[in-house]
Amino acid sequence: MKLDVIPVAGKIHVARLMDTTAIVVDVLRATTCMVVGIQNGIVKIIPTSDAAEAASFVTRLGSRDSLLAGETGGVKTQGFDIGNSPFEFSVEAVKGRTVIMSTTNGTTAVCASASADNVLIGAMVNATAVAKRAVELGKDVVIICAGTDGAISADDLIAAGAIAEEIIKGVGKAVCTDTVSVSRWLYKGYMEKRVDIHEINHCKKLIELGFEDDVKFCFRRDMTDVVPVYSYGIIQ
Ligand code: MLT
């Protein structure tokens, strides 16, 4: 098996994803919210590229069973029902609902991955489960990090490293790119407490906005076996 990590979703080439399984990662916080939301009973998530597209879906679907979720600049987008905190994706808030989601980087990264044969949603909270599922699918794997505003975000690389470790354990041997090695080194540094996540810009920003508990939550490993799948515009 070949294993690759794309460090920023903007660098995806459609042809690169042909005949692969893609795992999209936006640890802080979009893909963590997706995993938690599906675990808590969301019927489906429709990821969109921007807030206007998300709002237009609600107009078409009706607001009775659908919820608008997402952030702008880290805080709940004006007029949306919930923001982009995993704590807002509680059973009480999301069970039985269709969630239309728009975030700055995460939902765009999911939409941009559609040309892969399989698109799985990954995070720290389901790292082992998503790796296991990718191995079962038997194709080459590309881990796509959402990044932040077109730049690398180390939180995504740490999770990519954690997922890559599990994939390599699962297949025994994989042909890896250098970005896989960099992600694994970073993950190892994090596990050995040489890498402090509080130095990551996106962590700093979320903590400044009062989301320190979100950061802690998003870095909890293997809280669930749920592996959402993105197919035909829908995450389930
Ligand atoms: C994003 O998609 O850019 C993030 O999930 C932002 C956030 O932390 O809410």
Side-chain angles (χ1 to χ4, degrees):
M1 174 206 274
K2 287 188 197 151
L3 179 57
D4 192 8
V5 171
I6 296 181
V8 183
K11 304 247 181 276
I12 300 172
H13 294 289
V14 172
R16 175 69 197 84
L17 298 183
M18 296 295 177
D19 208 25
T20 68
T21 292
I23 301 175
V24 185
V25 172
D26 183 9
V27 178
L28 297 173
R29 298 164 288 172
T31 59
T32 304
C33 289
M34 291 168 187
V35 173
V36 169
I38 294 291
Q39 181 182 36
N40 287 345
I42 288 180
V43 174
K44 58 177 181 284
I45 300 172
I46 303 175
T48 61
S49 307
D50 57 43
E53 190 193 355
S56 80
F57 264 106
V58 176
T59 314
R60 270 178 276 161
L61 295 174
S63 57
R64 226 168 68 108
D65 294 318
S66 55
L67 266 189
L68 265 176
E71 52 70 46
T72 306
V75 295
K76 180 163 84 87
T77 303
Q78 213 181 359
F80 278 28
D81 301 298
I82 57 174
N84 192 37
S85 163
F87 297 108
E88 291 176 282
F89 286 68
S90 63
V91 177
E92 297 72 29
V94 300
K95 192 169 189 276
R97 312 295 291 268
T98 291
V99 174
I100 301 142
M101 199 168 167
S102 160
T103 69
T104 315
N105 306 282
T107 54
T108 317
V110 173
C111 296
S113 307
S115 56
D117 279 28
N118 312 289
V119 182
L120 309 179
I121 305 299
M124 285 298 254
V125 294
N126 72 345
T128 299
V130 76
K132 193 164 169 264
R133 184 77 194 109
V135 170
E136 283 164 4
L137 289 166
K139 295 195 173 283
D140 294 339
V141 177
V142 181
I143 303 173
I144 298 169
C145 299
T148 300
D149 301 329
I152 285 176
S153 198
D155 48 301
D156 293 338
L157 284 185
I158 291 171
I163 295 167
E165 288 290 324
E166 294 300 325
I167 290 175
I168 293 163
K169 265 192 231 161
V171 290
K173 199 168 186 287
V175 178
C176 297
T177 59
D178 280 359
T179 48
V180 174
S181 304
V182 170
S183 304
R184 292 178 72 194
W185 296 330
L186 200 57
Y187 176 63
K188 191 165 185 278
Y190 162 72
M191 289 304 284
E192 292 171 357
K193 300 196 181 344
R194 287 180 286 106
V195 169
D196 180 3
I197 58 165
H198 296 92
E199 287 174 26
I200 299 171
N201 283 329
H202 197 58
C203 283
K204 285 186 199 161
K205 182 181 165 189
L206 287 174
I207 291 168
E208 268 168 36
L209 290 170
F211 292 121
E212 185 155 12
D213 286 347
D214 284 25
V215 172
K216 283 190 197 137
F217 183 96
C218 292
F219 273 91
R220 279 163 67 178
R221 214 19 239 265
D222 295 335
M223 284 173 56
T224 176
D225 286 338
V226 167
V227 180
V229 175
Y230 176 63
S231 179
Y232 296 104
I234 285 169
I235 297 169
Q236 276 174 317

